[in-house]
């Protein structure tokens, strides 16, 4: 759950990146860092600890001017939490700088090969291996940064969301994702990069969410170019208008986010059934279910796949579906589902539950279910998220942003949607 923030445009990047990192603190982290480019020098500061520690250190040791910047909060995977292993990471030449969420699984073999070619490494991270691999491609293939990122990523195995900057070509940032979310905020002659939209909501409501296996070249004062990583084909990016507002991601007078979100539950539940549960008419209206009623109601079995809190919502839903709709239900941990060679048929309906709509294991379970011919239905909170696009149909909860790590309103609104579904199916089946 590392956090990525980036900016390129006409404003000072430092306050935007710093505040963006503060808004991503809910994801959890053990260290943080920022790199800035001021037109002449690429400056970096990083430290073990909190964003507040980073702020103090940066402002004591480094000048904060520059209109290009990238920042990161790290949750350690390769290498202990310390200043050296913190992101961003330089390449050996010092020209490239990278931030990275995820894990490069074949980093060790790549590192050994790069060492043979004369590269040295200061950290224990897989990320430093990746940035040097990109540099090696630039040197040996004589290509630009965007193409080098594409070639390098086709040599990696794992998951990632990355942002890379080259000080020799200071008007662009290259980003890419596979299995880890990445959003591009589109402003007036400026662009933002982040793990979710919260870091740039006060500047723009327009965002491009990269799909798995896509990369983008973000150039100052030019349109975003999106390509497929595996074959370099161009993708027409969809610019989505965000429904969130700044007030939703602030504490609103509460001491902490969790307390605020506990108190938001009544309104969140009402928002989730508003327009769906029409009491005066005695009906429940859900487009994703209505359009696929025969397929869902005639399912021999419903399989619910989810992780963490969403899995607990699935356990409650099992009782509700079986009691009201009389359809057998199995609830599976998404992280185990794809590894145990599950029996899935075309007569099954697979319901995936995820607050973010980006849970990697749940996404993998959906893809497996679709390969087996099952009908997939997504229940998630984030409009335009990967799960909402990958499933055949679905229903959004309307919890709004949930910043607190311990789930409250996301869980209760998931139960609300699943109960509405069960009631609708039960009535249809008599």
């Amino acid at each position: 759950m590392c956090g990525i923030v980036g900016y390129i445009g006409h404003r000072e990047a430092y306050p935007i990146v710093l505040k963006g990192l503060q808004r991503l603190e809910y994801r959890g982290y053990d260290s943080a860092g920022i790199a800035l480019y001021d037109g002449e020098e690429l400056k970096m500061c990083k430290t073990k600890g909190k964003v507040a520690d980073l702020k103090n250190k940066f402002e004591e040791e480094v000048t904060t001017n520059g209109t290009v910047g990238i920042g990161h909060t790290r949750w350690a995977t390769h290498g202990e939490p310390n200043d050296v292993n913190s992101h961003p990471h330089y390449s050996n030449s010092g020209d490239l700088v990278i931030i990275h969420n995820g894990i490069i699984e074949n980093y060790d073999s790549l590192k050994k090969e790069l060492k043979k070619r004369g590269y040295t490494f200061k950290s224990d991270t897989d990320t430093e291996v990746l940035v040097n691999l990109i540099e090696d491609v630039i040197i040996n293939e004589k290509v630009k940064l965007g193409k080098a990122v594409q070639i390098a990523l086709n040599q990696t195995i794992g998951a990632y969301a990355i942002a890379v900057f080259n000080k020799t070509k200071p008007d662009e940032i290259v980003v890419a994702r596979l299995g880890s979310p990445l959003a591009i905020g589109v402003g007036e002659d400026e662009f933002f990069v982040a793990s979710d939209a919260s870091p740039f909501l006060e500047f723009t409501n327009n965002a491009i969410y990269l799909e798995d296996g896509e990369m983008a070249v973000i150039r100052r004062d030019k349109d975003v170019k999106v390509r497929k990583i595996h074959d370099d084909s161009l993708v027409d990016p969809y610019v989505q208008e965000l429904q969130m507002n700044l007030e939703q991601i602030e504490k609103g007078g509460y001491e902490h986010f969790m307390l605020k979100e506990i108190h938001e539950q009544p309104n969140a539940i009402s928002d989730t059934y508003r327009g769906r549960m029409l009491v005066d008419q005695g009906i429940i209206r859900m487009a994703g279910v209505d359009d696929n009623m025969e397929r869902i109601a005639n399912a021999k079995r419903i399989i619910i796949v989810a992780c963490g809190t969403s899995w607990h919502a699935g356990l409650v839903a099992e009782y509700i579906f079986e009691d009201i709709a009389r359809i057998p239900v199995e609830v599976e941990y998404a992280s185990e589902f794809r590894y145990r060679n599950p029996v899935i048929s075309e007569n099954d309906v697979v319901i995936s539950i995820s607050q973010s709509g980006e849970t990697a294991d749940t996404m993998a379970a959906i893809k497996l279910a679709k390969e087996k011919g099952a009908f997939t239905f997504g229940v998630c909170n984030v409009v335009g998220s990967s799960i909402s696009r990958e499933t055949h149909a679905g229903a959004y909860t309307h919890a709004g942003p949930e910043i607190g790590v311990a789930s409250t309103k996301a869980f209760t609104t998931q139960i609300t949607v699943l109960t509405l579904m069960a009631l609708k199916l039960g009535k249809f089946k008599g």
Side-chain angles (χ1 to χ4, degrees), residues 153-357:
L153 291 178
N154 276 313
Q155 297 177 35
T156 63
I157 300 168
Y160 50 79
I162 63 169
V164 191
F165 175 76
N166 184 349
K167 73 176 185 182
T168 67
K169 196 168 183 182
D171 288 328
E172 70 178 28
I173 297 173
V174 176
V175 298
R177 74 156 281 186
L178 181 66
S180 192
L182 197 66
I184 302 168
V186 181
E188 290 288 332
D189 300 324
E190 60 183 353
F191 296 99
F192 308 81
V193 178
S195 299
D196 64 43
S198 59
F200 55 76
L201 270 180
E202 64 199 87
F203 302 104
T204 180
N205 285 322
N206 296 318
I208 297 168
Y209 287 92
L210 289 187
E211 300 277 2
D212 260 359
E214 290 183 352
M215 60 176 288
V217 178
I218 303 166
R219 294 189 177 96
R220 200 191 303 263
D221 301 329
K222 293 186 179 180
D223 292 337
V224 177
K225 286 284 181 67
V226 179
R227 295 181 179 274
K228 293 285 186 185
I229 295 168
H230 76 280
D231 65 3
D232 201 34
S233 59
L234 273 172
V235 176
D236 187 19
Y238 171 61
V239 181
Q240 179 177 317
E241 186 175 353
L242 301 172
Q243 301 304 310
M244 282 192 293
N245 58 58
L246 200 58
E247 184 180 347
Q248 290 178 300
I249 60 168
E250 301 291 351
K251 291 180 184 175
Y254 288 93
E255 186 178 355
H256 46 75
F257 282 112
M258 187 173 176
L259 185 61
K260 171 176 178 270
E261 289 160 7
I262 287 170
H263 285 276
E264 286 176 341
Q265 286 179 104
N267 286 338
I269 292 167
S270 298
D271 288 344
T272 296
Y273 67 64
R274 181 179 289 113
R276 289 169 168 163
M277 188 168 67
L278 308 179
V279 178
D280 294 343
Q281 299 175 48
I283 61 172
I284 292 170
R285 180 181 295 155
M286 300 177 76
V289 180
D290 287 327
D291 294 345
N292 302 281
M293 180 58 83
E294 293 286 343
R295 181 77 188 269
I296 300 172
N298 292 322
K300 293 285 175 59
R301 176 181 59 160
I302 291 174
I303 304 170
I304 296 175
V305 292
C307 295
T309 299
S310 297
W311 179 78
H312 286 95
L315 294 178
V316 178
E318 177 182 8
Y319 283 61
I320 296 170
F321 276 107
E322 291 193 345
D323 182 40
I324 298 173
R326 309 307 296 166
I327 302 173
V329 178
E330 294 177 12
V331 184
E332 300 262 7
Y333 256 115
S335 55
E336 303 295 327
F337 185 68
R338 60 175 165 149
Y339 293 113
R340 66 170 192 81
N341 193 23
V343 178
I344 309 169
S345 78
E346 294 179 358
N347 296 317
D348 292 331
V349 169
V350 175
I351 298 176
S352 57
I353 311 171
S354 167
Q355 189 282 136
S356 65

